[in-house]
Amino acid sequence: MVSETIPMPTPEAAPPLVEPAPVRPNGRRLLPTSAELNTMTRIANSVAAGGISGCSTPSAAFARLLIGWSHGLDAGTALNDIRCVEGRMTLPELVKVSAIRRSGIGDVRTVAVD
């Protein structure tokens, strides 16, 4: 199986923020909290150890989880739907539409072109 794991950060390694993380206009923070990062790290290590969703390393799983977090996706959707193509993370169109609708920034409608 996989011998690589992402080390869990220690409180000494990452001092607490004095100010809260900046918030986007839609109410989401720019960066995940330490607790969210720790959870993503544990999930990434477990996913890679089991070879779930085609992730062979914890880094690949963590990257999918982090990109998914930034788009407001749950861990399962991020792991199953986000792919790395030519070094760039990609999302299927239906996932993009769902993320836009859930965020409240707009709606996407299908237009038929003849």
Side-chain angles (χ1 to χ4, degrees):
M1 282 284 156
V2 178
S3 61
E4 174 193 357
T5 59
I6 300 173
M8 294 294 292
T10 61
E12 298 81 31
L17 295 173
V18 176
E19 298 178 16
V23 176
R24 297 180 193 172
N26 65 359
R28 289 191 42 87
R29 294 177 316 283
L30 294 176
L31 299 170
T33 63
S34 295
E36 289 169 330
L37 288 171
N38 288 340
T39 300
M40 284 189 250
T41 301
R42 285 195 306 274
I43 292 171
N45 287 331
S46 297
V47 165
I52 301 169
S53 298
C55 294
S56 58
T57 65
S59 299
F62 186 82
R64 288 183 185 183
L65 291 167
L66 192 57
I67 296 296
W69 180 91
S70 71
H71 288 283
L73 302 175
D74 62 88
T77 301
L79 290 168
N80 288 320
D81 292 334
I82 295 176
R83 296 286 175 252
C84 185
V85 177
E86 296 179 7
R88 298 187 62 163
M89 297 301 220
T90 62
L91 289 167
E93 286 73 23
L94 290 176
V95 175
K96 291 177 188 176
V97 169
S98 175
I100 290 169
R101 288 180 176 160
R102 193 173 343 151
S103 71
I105 61 173
D107 192 11
V108 178
R109 299 178 192 277
T110 304
V111 178
V113 179
D114 295 325

